[in-house]
């Protein structure tokens, strides 16, 4: 309902925006999708959706970092996430930073890796690593909550309330997350990833150093 009032809808075609600035030393690339916000996490079903989406994006990050180490993706840094922002929109982003004018090649490599995942899914090792990272994130929070300063805890509770999410005891959330992760096999994460970034609904943003601002976005 909030999304409708703000005029946020799902894109009906692929879009690209490329801007240049001679003072930039590197380029920032992003493949993103904006869609209407969903209901806050108030049920086990909502938590399942959240956990599976975060795990799918972690698997995509694992894929890209592996491509970077193998020289198949020329990027200096990554930012991969999916979130409901400000209770106004669902925002999914796969972004990278490159050096100099190498952004054209990097953008092609980024789009190619996304296309491979859509077509063939994640590798078993990528799925295992994403599940491990998801569980580790929550374990660290549970371990640290007893020593968390009261001001930080209050800020966290305030953020949770502002987002409309139900508060769940961290130990309970960890137990539920572990159960949900048992469902996070390759087929399930592929289905979730395709839903987060459907082909033809994404936008591509490029901030480049200088020169030709033309950009062909292909599959």
């Amino acid at each position: 309902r909030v999304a409708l009032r703000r005029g946020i809808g799902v894109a009906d075609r692929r879009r690209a925006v490329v801007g240049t600035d001679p003072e930039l030393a590197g380029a920032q690339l992003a493949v993103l999708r904006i869609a209407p916000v969903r209901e806050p996490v108030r049920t086990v079903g909502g938590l399942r959706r959240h956990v599976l989406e975060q795990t799918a994006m972690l698997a995509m990050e694992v894929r890209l970092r592996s491509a970077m180490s193998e020289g198949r993706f020329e990027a200096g840094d990554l930012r991969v996430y999916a979130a409901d922002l400000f209770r106004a929109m669902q925002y999914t982003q796969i972004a990278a930073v490159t050096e100099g004018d190498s952004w054209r090649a990097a953008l092609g490599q980024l789009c190619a890796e996304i296309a491979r995942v859509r077509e063939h899914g994640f590798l078993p090792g990528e799925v295992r690593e994403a599940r491990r990272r998801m569980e580790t994130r929550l374990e660290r929070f549970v371990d640290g909550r007893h020593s968390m300063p009261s001001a930080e805890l209050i800020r966290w509770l305030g953020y949770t309330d502002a987002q409309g999410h139900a508060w769940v005891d961290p130990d309970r959330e960890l137990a539920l997350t572990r159960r949900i992760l048992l469902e996070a096999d390759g087929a399930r994460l592929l289905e979730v990833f395709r839903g987060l970034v459907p082909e033809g609904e994404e936008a591509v943003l490029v901030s480049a150093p200088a020169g030709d601002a033309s950009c062909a976005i292909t599959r």
Side-chain angles (χ1 to χ4, degrees), residues 27-29 61 64-65 68 73-80 94-99 106 110:
Q28 296 186 1
L29 320 171
E61 182 177 343
L64 291 175
R65 292 198 182 279
M68 288 169 60
F73 181 38
E74 302 173 13
D77 196 12
L78 293 173
R79 185 169 174 81
V80 181
I94 304 170
V97 176
T98 67
E99 297 295 330
L110 177 61

Side-chain angles (χ1 to χ4, degrees), residues 33-217:
R33 177 182 184 248
I34 294 174
V37 69
R38 285 87 54 83
E39 290 295 320
V41 177
R42 294 182 175 275
T43 65
V44 173
L47 180 63
R48 176 178 290 105
R49 182 198 72 211
H50 172 75
V51 169
L52 292 176
E53 287 181 350
Q54 297 304 307
T55 307
M57 297 306 285
L58 280 172
M60 187 71 232
E61 182 177 343
V62 170
R63 160 70 65 97
L64 291 175
R65 292 198 182 279
S66 177
M68 288 169 60
S69 66
E70 296 171 3
R72 293 183 288 108
F73 181 38
E74 302 173 13
D77 196 12
L78 293 173
R79 185 169 174 81
V80 181
Y81 69 93
D84 287 335
L85 295 185
F86 317 117
R87 300 185 69 178
M89 68 182 75
Q90 180 196 354
Y91 187 88
T92 304
Q93 176 176 276
I94 304 170
V97 176
T98 67
E99 297 295 330
D101 61 356
S102 63
W103 65 268
R104 294 175 182 83
L107 180 58
Q109 293 160 354
L110 177 61
C111 292
E113 291 298 333
I114 294 173
R116 286 192 188 97
V117 170
R118 284 175 176 154
E119 185 70 22
H120 304 293
F122 297 106
L123 297 174
E126 295 166 350
V127 173
R128 288 193 299 271
E129 179 62 15
R131 290 170 58 170
R132 185 193 69 79
R133 292 189 187 186
M134 188 67 194
E135 185 173 357
T136 299
R137 281 183 179 180
L138 198 51
E139 285 176 343
R140 288 175 177 170
F141 173 73
V142 173
D143 290 342
R145 71 189 175 100
H146 300 294
S147 59
M148 182 181 293
S150 58
E152 185 177 343
L153 180 59
I154 290 172
R155 284 195 298 271
W156 176 72
L157 291 173
Y159 171 79
T160 299
D161 181 67
Q163 293 294 103
H165 301 314
W167 185 85
V168 181
D169 177 81
D171 291 298
R172 174 63 173 160
E173 185 175 354
L174 177 58
L176 288 171
T177 297
R178 284 171 170 162
R179 287 171 50 189
I180 294 168
L181 286 174
L182 295 175
E183 308 172 18
D185 58 13
R188 188 76 178 93
L189 293 187
L190 174 58
E191 177 186 2
V192 171
F193 181 80
R194 286 172 172 169
L196 286 171
V197 194
E199 185 175 4
E201 295 182 7
E202 70 271 47
V204 178
L205 301 182
V206 178
S207 299
D212 183 10
S214 65
C215 178
I217 307 300

